[in-house]
């Protein structure tokens, strides 16, 4: 009834605020960066020409640098940012060259070298063999350092760290790369304080079984959040993914399984592109557009039989709240309010977003970043 399918194409941290804090290291100083794979990589100087094989990494950079697009000379998998509003705000009309799409076969070594990068940032989606990947070996042989910003993969359930620890390590790594350790520590502390409040309000509650749907579309069903990454964030919010789901990122379920397996809450994912009828939820969209998209999703065959739909517990989030680590806190807070409304009534994710905009973002991200049928 349940089949595991690896859809690595799909998915699988905010525009900075103040310019205070420590100045970046001088460009002439070499530095050692410990990446997410634990590799110690020597950079001749603070990088000024970076290629991102995962464009979403620019969001983490933007927490630590006032204009990260000025440092990025090429990027791939741009669609995974899943918001033209966020992309345009970061690029500031620069038009960063696109060096590839969402799969490693679209990346050209010659194309990367032609941009004369002083650093390439990879992950296991775009360099599946890690530091043994042919592209990585060729880049390093050509004198271009490569670091890994993420080791997540739907191919294995093994994770050395949890999703929160990964976020900490990613921020630490980017602080090293950009010479902005103090700023990285400041945002990490902000997130930790908000996570502590959520952990407190969900403590002792029975986990709420939730169908958290990855890549929600009207012409496809049923991609459930896996046991790791999305599932870990759901657990922090007081929930749990559907029983029988074993894939770490996401898993294809039969409709019959979904209908016959009770779930208390349904959370869809939406975004900035609408292929397949995804709900329009995220920066630049209105609450009414989000609700209309949710109505179309629950009109799919069999969804009227879901207990969550019958009870009106239908919600949707912008995919970036899960796929971009610095935004995870907003998902956790909002999901906690949906799953355990009485316990977590004092949690205010809209206020958290406002504080992020005020303290950390040079270009604010406007809500709503979520939607509910009954709002």
């Amino acid at each position: 009834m349940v089949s595991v399918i690896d859809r690595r194409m799909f998915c699988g941290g905010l525009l900075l605020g103040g310019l205070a804090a420590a100045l970046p290291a001088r460009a002439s100083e070499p530095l050692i960066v410990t990446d997410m794979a634990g590799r110690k990589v020597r950079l001749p100087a603070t990088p000024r020409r970076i290629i991102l094989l995962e464009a979403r990494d620019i969001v983490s950079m933007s927490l630590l640098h006032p204009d990260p697009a000025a440092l990025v000379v090429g990027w791939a998998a741009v669609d995974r940012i899943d918001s033209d509003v966020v992309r345009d705000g970061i690029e500031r009309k620069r038009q960063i060259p696109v060096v590839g799409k969402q799969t490693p076969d679209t990346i050209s070594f010659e194309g990367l070298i032609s941009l004369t990068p002083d650093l390439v940032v990879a992950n296991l989606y775009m360099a599946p063999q890690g530091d043994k990947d042919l592209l990585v070996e060729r880049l390093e042989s050509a004198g271009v350092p490569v670091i890994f910003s993420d080791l997540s993969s739907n191919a294995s359930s093994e994770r050395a760290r949890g999703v929160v620890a990964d976020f900490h390590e990613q921020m630490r790594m980017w602080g090293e790369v950009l010479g902005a350790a103090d700023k990285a520590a400041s945002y990490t502390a902000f997130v930790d304080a908000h996570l502590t409040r959520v952990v407190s309000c969900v403590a002792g509650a029975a986990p709420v079984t939730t169908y958290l749907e990855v890549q929600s579309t009207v012409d496809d069903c049923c991609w459930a959040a896996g046991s790791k990454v999305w599932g870990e964030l759901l657990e922090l919010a007081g929930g749990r993914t559907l029983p029988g789901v074993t894939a770490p990122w996401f898993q294809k379920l039969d409709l019959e399984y979904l209908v016959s397996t009770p779930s208390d809450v349904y959370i869809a994912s939406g975004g900035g592109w609408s292929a397949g009828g995804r709900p329009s939820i995220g920066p630049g969209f209105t609450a009414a557009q989000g609700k209309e998209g949710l109505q179309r999703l629950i009109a799919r065959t069999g969804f009227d039989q879901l207990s969550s739909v019958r009870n009106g517990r239908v919600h949707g989030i912008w995919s970036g709240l899960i796929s971009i680590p610095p935004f995870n806190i907003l998902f956790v807070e909002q999901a906690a309010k949906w799953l355990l409304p009485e316990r977590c009534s004092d949690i205010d994710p809209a206020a958290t977003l406002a504080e992020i905009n005020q303290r950390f973002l040079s270009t604010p991200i406007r809500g709503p970043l979520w939607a509910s049928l009954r709002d």
Side-chain angles (χ1 to χ4, degrees), residues 184-195:
S186 178
Y187 190 73
T188 300
F190 169 83
V191 169
D192 285 349
H194 282 261
L195 277 175

Side-chain angles (χ1 to χ4, degrees), residues 45-339:
T46 299
R48 292 292 180 262
R49 298 185 61 81
I50 301 172
I51 291 177
L52 302 176
L53 298 188
E54 175 60 66
R56 286 181 305 208
D57 278 332
I58 203 169
V59 183
S60 295
M61 292 177 63
S62 65
L63 280 163
L64 310 177
H65 192 280
D67 189 8
L71 303 179
V72 177
V73 297
W75 58 1
V78 181
D79 288 347
R80 284 203 285 254
I81 293 176
D82 203 11
S83 171
D84 289 341
V85 172
V86 173
R87 174 180 175 174
D88 292 346
I90 291 174
E91 280 192 294
R92 300 184 183 180
K93 300 181 180 179
R94 274 193 177 83
Q95 295 293 310
I96 298 171
V98 175
V99 299
K101 298 182 180 179
Q102 296 193 25
T103 54
D105 59 292
T106 64
I107 304 295
S108 161
F109 167 75
E110 291 75 15
L112 300 186
I113 290 296
S114 71
L115 295 172
T116 61
D118 52 22
L119 176 66
V120 171
V121 184
N123 62 17
L124 286 190
Y125 286 116
M126 304 306 278
Q129 304 306 313
D131 58 2
K132 302 301 183 184
D133 198 275
L134 178 60
L135 177 64
V136 175
E137 291 180 341
R138 293 184 71 187
L139 286 167
E140 293 182 334
S141 294
V144 179
V146 179
I147 62 173
F148 283 82
S149 64
D150 191 5
L151 302 182
S152 299
S153 168
N154 206 42
S156 171
S157 61
E158 296 299 322
R159 285 171 62 83
R161 299 177 290 259
V163 65
V164 174
D166 276 350
F167 162 70
H168 285 188
E169 287 299 295
Q170 285 173 334
M171 293 306 299
R172 188 263 320 147
M173 184 199 79
W174 280 113
E176 292 179 358
V177 170
L178 300 176
D182 288 349
K183 293 178 182 178
S186 178
Y187 190 73
T188 300
F190 169 83
V191 169
D192 285 349
H194 282 261
L195 277 175
T196 297
R197 290 190 63 202
V198 175
V199 169
S200 177
C201 80
V202 305
V208 180
T209 302
T210 305
Y211 175 38
L212 175 55
E213 187 173 48
V214 180
Q215 192 168 322
S216 306
T217 63
V218 297
D219 60 3
D220 193 15
C221 186
C222 308
W223 293 92
S227 58
K228 303 295 182 181
V229 190
W230 292 54
E232 289 175 78
L233 294 171
L234 184 64
E235 184 176 352
L236 285 171
R240 63 182 173 196
T241 192
L242 297 173
V245 174
T246 57
W249 270 84
F250 32 85
Q251 186 165 328
K252 177 74 168 177
L253 306 177
D254 292 336
L255 177 60
E256 293 80 4
Y257 175 86
L258 181 64
V259 170
S260 64
T261 304
S263 59
D264 300 301
V265 177
Y266 167 42
I267 302 177
S269 62
W273 53 272
S274 57
R278 293 177 77 217
S280 297
I281 301 173
F285 297 115
T286 66
Q289 287 174 300
K291 291 175 72 172
E292 189 276 334
L294 292 177
Q295 289 283 8
R296 287 187 287 113
L297 288 178
I298 64 172
R300 287 177 292 179
T301 300
F303 271 66
D304 60 344
Q305 301 177 51
L306 300 184
S307 55
S308 54
V309 174
R310 291 198 305 268
N311 294 327
R313 302 188 72 180
V314 175
H315 312 284
I317 53 98
W318 173 42
S319 68
L321 299 188
I322 290 183
S323 63
I324 301 174
F327 290 131
N328 288 168
I329 183 58
L330 294 168
F331 168 77
V332 172
E333 288 192 337
Q334 186 59 56
K337 288 185 71 70
W338 287 333
L339 302 184

